[in-house]
Amino acid sequence: MIQSMTGYGKSILELPNKKISIELRSLNSKNLDLNTRIPSQYRAKELDLRNIISSKLKRGKVDFSLYVELTGEETNTIINTEVVNHYLKQLQQIDAANSNNLLEIAMKLPDTLKTTREEIDEAEFNAIEDSLKAAITDIEAYRLDEGEALAKDFNLRIGNLEK
């Protein structure tokens, strides 16, 4: 059966505090050319994800994207109150009369927010692997469907040439 190199696969993973979307897109290419777009916290596992993809998809220019959307009450970013208070004191010394929007100004200054990096646990990564495999199944089905359409078109054209 003819299989196209053009395809698309998507999988969405719902976790208690986040939603992870995985997308795979492929175009024609002689060899496997894999580009990844993933958040920095998942970079340590990038090689594992690449190996899963390359074990199934042998050819094509493949774009792999992993998007994370926080859905729970938790957030990785907190206000750095010491820095904000320090900025506010300095701003009040400069312009004590215009104290209405000093907090707004202070929050735009550097280092007012602290972002902590959370480590991914093994159960979450296993769920991501399963979701990636589902997206690979989708892209393979897409490629087979497009290959069928190509085969029908080839057969039609061959039949026209034979006539």
Side-chain angles (χ1 to χ4, degrees):
M1 174 51 85
I2 295 176
Q3 186 178 14
S4 173
M5 283 187 280
T6 303
Y8 178 79
K10 183 174 184 175
S11 180
I12 296 176
L13 174 62
E14 297 280 346
L15 296 174
N17 60 346
K18 62 180 95 168
K19 175 179 159 183
I20 299 175
S21 300
I22 294 174
E23 289 185 10
L24 287 168
R25 297 171 195 219
S26 68
L27 297 172
N28 294 344
S29 182
K30 190 175 183 180
N31 299 312
L32 181 64
D33 178 14
L34 180 57
N35 298 311
T36 60
R37 191 176 310 127
I38 61 175
S40 59
Q41 69 199 47
Y42 296 93
R43 290 277 178 219
K45 299 289 189 174
E46 181 177 358
L47 185 60
D48 295 334
L49 297 172
R50 282 177 167 273
N51 287 337
I52 291 170
I53 295 167
S54 63
S55 71
K56 295 287 188 177
L57 306 177
K58 302 296 183 193
R59 294 180 65 191
K61 181 181 181 332
V62 178
D63 291 323
F64 164 62
S65 301
L66 188 141
Y67 302 104
V68 178
E69 178 184 338
L70 296 176
T71 56
E73 295 289 322
E74 299 176 22
T75 180
N76 295 342
T77 304
I78 58 171
I79 296 174
N80 192 344
T81 54
E82 291 178 19
V83 172
V84 172
N85 286 331
H86 185 69
Y87 282 145
L88 283 172
K89 287 177 187 172
Q90 290 179 17
L91 290 168
Q92 286 170 347
Q93 290 172 357
I94 295 170
D95 189 10
N98 189 10
S99 62
N100 293 343
N101 60 350
L102 292 183
L103 181 60
E104 184 179 334
I105 294 169
M107 289 304 294
K108 293 180 182 176
L109 295 171
D111 301 323
T112 56
L113 298 175
K114 280 195 265 189
T115 303
T116 58
R117 193 180 272 218
E118 78 175 47
E119 297 295 319
I120 53 173
D121 63 349
E122 212 49 45
E124 179 180 328
F125 184 69
N126 290 338
I128 290 171
E129 282 182 329
D130 292 341
S131 189
L132 175 60
K133 289 173 184 173
I136 290 171
T137 302
D138 280 356
I139 199 170
E140 287 176 328
Y142 189 105
R143 286 176 158 192
L144 283 173
D145 289 345
E146 191 163 315
E148 270 183 40
L150 286 171
K152 286 179 185 176
D153 186 53
F154 288 156
N155 289 331
L156 178 69
R157 290 172 189 266
I158 290 169
N160 289 339
L161 289 172
E162 288 174 343
K163 287 179 186 176

